[in-house]
Amino acid sequence: DGTVERVQAVGDAETITPTVFQAAQSQEFSAVEIGTDKVAIAYRNDASSALVAIVGTVSGTSITFGSPVTLNNNGSEPSIVKIEANKFVVAYQNDTNSRGDANVCTVVDTTVTAGEAVSFESGSTAQIKAAAVDTNVVVLAYRDNFNSGFGSTVVGTVSGTGISFGSVQIFSPAQAGEIGVAAIDTNKVLIVYRNELQSSRGEARAATVANGSLTFGTAVQYNSGNRADENTVAKLDTDKALVTYRDVNNNTRGLALVITVSGTTIKAGERFEFDADAPTQISAVSLSTDKALLGYRDNNVGKVRVVTVTGTTVAFGVPRTFAAVDARDISIGLMGTASALIAYADFANSEHG
């Protein structure tokens, strides 16, 4: 009759009650979908310093978790990646032995069984990120503190519940930080990072994967000035990815852009602002070839919004609040093409996960 009324969508992030999966101080979450109704989360239990993994079953907007499994008694900075349904790899820093380790985990219902930990780096690592380029091949990108903080990569091959690694290769012969990596094809990854030798500018580099090693293209700068923080990358298509970051020298605004890939040659598109108020804890996941979901912390408030991509133009939906007070260590795991799980530390609830 010509009148308009706001209606509430089923599953609106502002109406969903969060589920506590770790009733203790926890942080450094990494979440991934491992089935049409199942998600796995790796994180650090601050109460015990243990690096653990847990699986939950999703029904609508409710989730039921199994029991957490300890992967390492003193671990940090986990990155989780799905290998196939009910199977995932977690890479992390082993703080007891000051080295990088990884476990292959299998799942039955919500019970996690972890394979033996395997070292991928004999020295100290940081900012580890993992991507799966096939059902048995993963690529790890990380800061190699054992080698002057250089940006390094290694390819892992999964067999059963074991994993073996090739030789470490350098993607940034300078100190690298705020690293992100995404598989954009069955033999290709895109790495984003902060080049700390070049005024901490944001750079991206594509690499092909074959026979346990990588071949890199030329690095390309994607931010307009210096200091790109909170770099994340999410695949859109086999020739396109969404990059999000915080542009410190541009009033610490949150920006997004599309990077196109041809072979290992990349081109950075125009930058678009998604938040003008110094966002942190940025996480993004692809929903389809032209949509993604973006989560971040805005003045302590946890927000999420849909990103729509047309060519290399980026547009943003209305932000929704999923945590009204102090959400940290945000990680988004895709659930199908129209929903996602958001894992975070709830500082309004004793830092529970």
Side-chain angles (χ1 to χ4, degrees), residues 120-193:
F120 63 85
E121 171 60 65
S122 59
S124 175
T125 61
Q127 300 174 30
I128 303 161
K129 295 295 184 294
V133 294
D134 208 341
T135 55
N136 68 334
V137 179
V138 299
V139 174
L140 306 182
Y142 59 97
R143 179 186 173 103
D144 189 350
N145 290 330
F146 190 61
N147 186 19
S148 304
F150 287 177
S152 298
T153 54
V154 67
V155 178
T157 303
V158 176
S159 178
T161 57
I163 186 168
S164 58
F165 291 99
S167 300
V168 173
Q169 295 177 260
I170 295 171
F171 69 82
S172 174
Q175 289 186 345
E178 310 288 326
I179 297 166
V181 63
I184 57 173
D185 209 343
T186 55
N187 68 339
K188 195 179 297 183
V189 295
L190 184 64
I191 304 169
V192 296
Y193 57 98

